[in-house]
Amino acid sequence: MSNTKIDILQRALERERIARKEAERILEDKSRQLYELSEELKKTNKALQGNLSEKTLELQAIFDNSSLGIVLTKYGKIIETNKAFEELLGFTSEELKQMDVKSISVSNDYPNSRDLMEKLNNGIIDKFSVNKRYVKKDSTVIWAKTNVAAIRDKSGQIIYQVALVEDITEDLKLQEERKELIGDLKKKNKDLRDFAHIVSHDLKSPLRSMDTLINWLKEHCESGDTDNFNNAYEMLIDKLTKMDSLIDGVLRYSSIDSVEQINEEVDLKMLLEDTVNMIHIPDHIEMQLSNDFPVINGDFFRIQQLFQNLISNAIKSIDKPQGKVSVQYQSHDHFWEFSVSDNGKGIPEAYKEKIFEMFQSLDDQEDSTGVGLSIVKKIIEYYNGDVWFESEVGKGTTFYFTLKK
Amino acid sequence: MKGIVFTEFLSLVEDKFGLETVDEIIQKSELPSKGIYTSIGTYDFSEMLSLLVHLSEKTSLSIDDLLYTYAEHFFGVLVNTYGELLSRYKDPIEMLASIENHIHVEVRKIYPDAELPTFTVLEKTTDKLVLEYMSSRAMYSFGLGLMHKTFEHFNQKAEITLDKIKSDGSKVNYTIVKISE
Ligand code: HEM
C-alpha cells in the first residue's frame, strides 16, 4: 500500500474515531437531558397528584357539609349518601346503602321519576328536576325538590347519578297556608261588600217607616188632632227596637269569625238546657230535647248562638194552637248531625234559595230581623259543616246541620 | 444542517468516487468540523456547500447534478428511517402537497434545530401540482430529486419543470404533472 493511501486511511480512521466519540458525547448529553426531563416530569406529576387530592378533599368537604341532601345512585341502587340526606330521612348511611331509590319513594311518584331516569340513562336528557315525596324511617312523608344529573366517564357510560335533595315540605305548607289565607280574605272581602250593601239597604226600611210616622205626628200635632198619638208612639218605639236589634244582629254576625278561635269541650245537653231557659217559650209550645246530647269541641258561645237562632225561628214560625219544637241528633262516623224541627207554617218554595241570606225574614213579624239564619249559616261554615232544611207549607220545617267530630 | 445529511453525503461520495475523493474534498474544504460528522450532530450548512463545490471541481459535475443524485440516495434513507410517516400517503401529489403542513412539521418536532425550506401549494388538482419552494440554501435540485423519487415510490411517473423565480435559486416554482400510462 502506498504511503498516501495509508495516510488517507489513517485520516479516515481518525475521523471515524473522533466522530464516534462526538456521537457518544452527544448521546451522553441527550441521556442526561432525558434524565433531567424525567425528574422534572416526576415532580410535576407529584404536584398534580397533590392538587388532585386537594381537590378531592375539597369536594369531600362540600359533600359532607352540604345542607342539601346528596345521594349517589347507580341504576336505582343507593351507593353513597351525605349527612344532610341521612338526617333528612332518619336512616343511617349503612341502612341507606342497603336500600334502593324505590324503597324511599312514594309509589305514586315513582313511575314519573323512573321515566325521567330512563331518559337520563339513555342520554336523551342530561339532568332533570322533580318535586317528589320521600318516606322517612318513621314512615312519615316529606316533599323534596330533587335535581338529578348523570355522571359519565369519557366514553359516555354512566358511572352514577347524583341527586341533590332539598326538603320543601315547609315551603309547600306555607304556600298552602297562603293560598287558604288569600281564599279567606277574598271571601271576607265579598262578605263585607254584600254586608255593607244589604245593611245600608235594610236599615233604610225601618228608617223610612219612622220618617213617615214622625211626619204624621208632626202634621197631627200642628192640627191639634191627638187621637191615635199613643198608637203612633208605640209604633215608633217598635221600629226603634227593631233597628236596635237589627244593629245588634249585624254586630253579632260580623263578630263570628273576627273573635279568636276558642276550642273547648262543650256539653251540648247543658248548653241546650241553658238556651231553652234563655228563650221565652210560650205555654202552647212543647219543647222536646233528646236525652243524651254529646260533648263536642267548639266555642260554647257560638254553638249556643247557633241553637238559639234555630230554636227561636222554630218557635216564631208556629201558627197553631198546639206547637211542637224538637231538637235531635245523630252520630255519624266523622260528624254529628243535628236537627231542629217545628210544626209551624213552613217555608214556601220561593224562599228556598234566599233563606240563608241576611235580612230575609219570612214576614214582617216585629221580632224577626232576618239576621238569624245568616248567623246560623255563618257559624256552620266557620266549623266546616253543612246546613239544609226540609219544609212543607202549613205543616212545618226541619233544619238539619252537621258539625265535624 | 443535520449530521445525517453529511454522513449520508460522504458515504455516497465514497461509494461513487472512492475514499481518496472523500479525503481530498475534506482536505480542500478546510472545514471547522475537520470533516468529522456524526448523524446525530448538527453542522453548518456552509460546510456542505464547500464539500459540494470541491466535489464539483474534482468530478466536473454541476452542483445541481450532484444534489439531484444525492437526493435520490437520500430518499432511500428517508424511506428506511421514516417509513411510518410516508406510509400514510397513497398518492404522490397528496404527499408532496403535505410536506409543509405535515411531513416537515413532524420533522421539526424530532429536530427542533432542523433547517427546512418553505413549500407553498400554488395550484392543485388530482394530477397537477404547482409548488413554490423557498430556502436560503437554494437546494431546489435536492427537492427535484426527492420529488421524482416520491413518484417512483408509488410506481408512478411525473414531468416536473423547474422555474427559478429568483436567479440564486432561493425561490423556485415546481410544476408537477402526473404522466398517465
Ligand atoms: C418522510 C419524509 C421527509 C422527511 C423525514 C424529511 C426530513 C428532512 C430533513 C431531516 C431535512 C434536513 C433538515 C436539516 O438539515 O436541518 C430535510 C431537508 C429538506 N427536505 Fe425533507 N423530508 C421529507 C420529505 C421531503 C420531500 C418529499 C421533499 C420534496 C421536495 C423534501 C424537501 C426537502 C428539501 C428541499 C430539504 C433541504 C433543506 C432546504 O432546502 O432548505 N423533504 N428534510
Side-chain angles (χ1 to χ4, degrees), chain B residues 1-5 42 74-75 78-79 82-83 85-86 95-96 99 103-104 107 110-111 113-119 131 133-140 142-144 146-147 150 174:
Chain B
M1 178 156 269
K2 300 312 296 174
I4 190 163
V5 184
T42 304
F74 196 72
F75 190 84
L78 291 180
V79 172
Y82 304 100
L85 201 58
L86 289 174
M95 180 170 147
L96 294 178
I99 304 167
I103 297 175
H104 278 177
V107 171
I110 307 169
Y111 311 113
D113 55 354
E115 296 174 299
L116 297 162
T118 309
F119 283 104
L131 273 183
Y133 162 93
M134 265 202 301
S135 167
S136 60
R137 290 166 293 282
M139 290 172 70
Y140 52 87
F142 185 75
L144 187 64
L146 289 174
M147 287 176 189
T150 302
Y174 298 94

Side-chain angles (χ1 to χ4, degrees), chain A residues 5 8-9 11 15 19 22, chain B residues 20 23 26-27 35-36 38:
Chain A
K5 192 119 195 184
I8 289 170
L9 280 171
R11 278 197 291 272
R15 282 199 302 273
E22 179 81 7
Chain B
E20 291 90 342
D23 188 69
I26 286 175
Q27 303 288 1
I36 301 163
T38 114

